[in-house]
Amino acid sequence: TSNRDAVDLAADDLGRLITTPFQVRDLIFTASAATATLAEVTLLTGVAGQFNDLVEITCANASGAAVTLSVRDATAAGVVKTITVGASTTVSRDFSVPVPQGVAADTWTIQNAGSGDISGTGVTCSAIFVRNV
């Protein structure tokens, strides 16, 4: 469809409008990344002209030390969310309103916010995004 084209609405057998939270299925994406260093790591690569809004993120810490992660909506950008994951635990954050990406086509990243020797502090994160134009 194009702008201003008519579209069909979906209704159940009683005529109630059918809606889905966030987005239609083909515009929902999953991503995963692991980090064991202080380097920024790509969680979801950007797509030209598209916003990827964060709906949920789960991070599992396999180490014996707590880890704080910085989540960014663009490489080397400001921190959008900070997640602290205790030693040998998993933390999940669901957002009732998706976290909007600031600029279309940018890459979401995670980064261990620690300092010094963080060897052995591996963390894996998985996330769900909705794509918007």
Side-chain angles (χ1 to χ4, degrees):
T1 62
S2 298
N3 285 343
R4 301 192 186 271
D5 281 355
V7 295
D8 294 326
L9 297 177
D12 67 9
D13 58 351
L14 297 176
R16 295 176 292 198
L17 184 63
I18 297 172
T19 61
T20 59
F22 309 125
Q23 194 53 282
V24 294
R25 181 181 175 91
D26 60 337
L27 295 175
I28 297 173
F29 296 88
T30 60
S32 182
T35 181
T37 69
L38 293 174
E40 193 171 7
V41 177
T42 297
L43 180 59
L44 182 70
T45 302
V47 175
Q50 307 290 306
F51 289 97
N52 292 299
D53 299 335
L54 179 63
V55 175
E56 184 271 341
I57 187 166
T58 300
C59 298
N61 181 358
S63 76
V67 173
T68 299
L69 296 173
S70 297
V71 180
R72 293 181 174 86
D73 65 351
T75 303
V79 175
V80 174
K81 293 289 177 190
T82 302
I83 301 171
T84 300
V85 188
S88 302
T89 62
T90 299
V91 171
S92 185
R93 299 280 190 269
D94 294 309
F95 306 104
S96 57
V97 175
V99 178
Q101 187 171 35
V103 176
D106 277 341
T107 296
W108 282 85
T109 66
I110 58 170
Q111 184 175 21
N112 188 323
S115 61
D117 181 10
I118 63 155
S119 58
T121 57
V123 178
T124 301
C125 293
S126 59
I128 299 173
F129 295 88
V130 293
R131 187 159 291 159
N132 290 294
V133 293

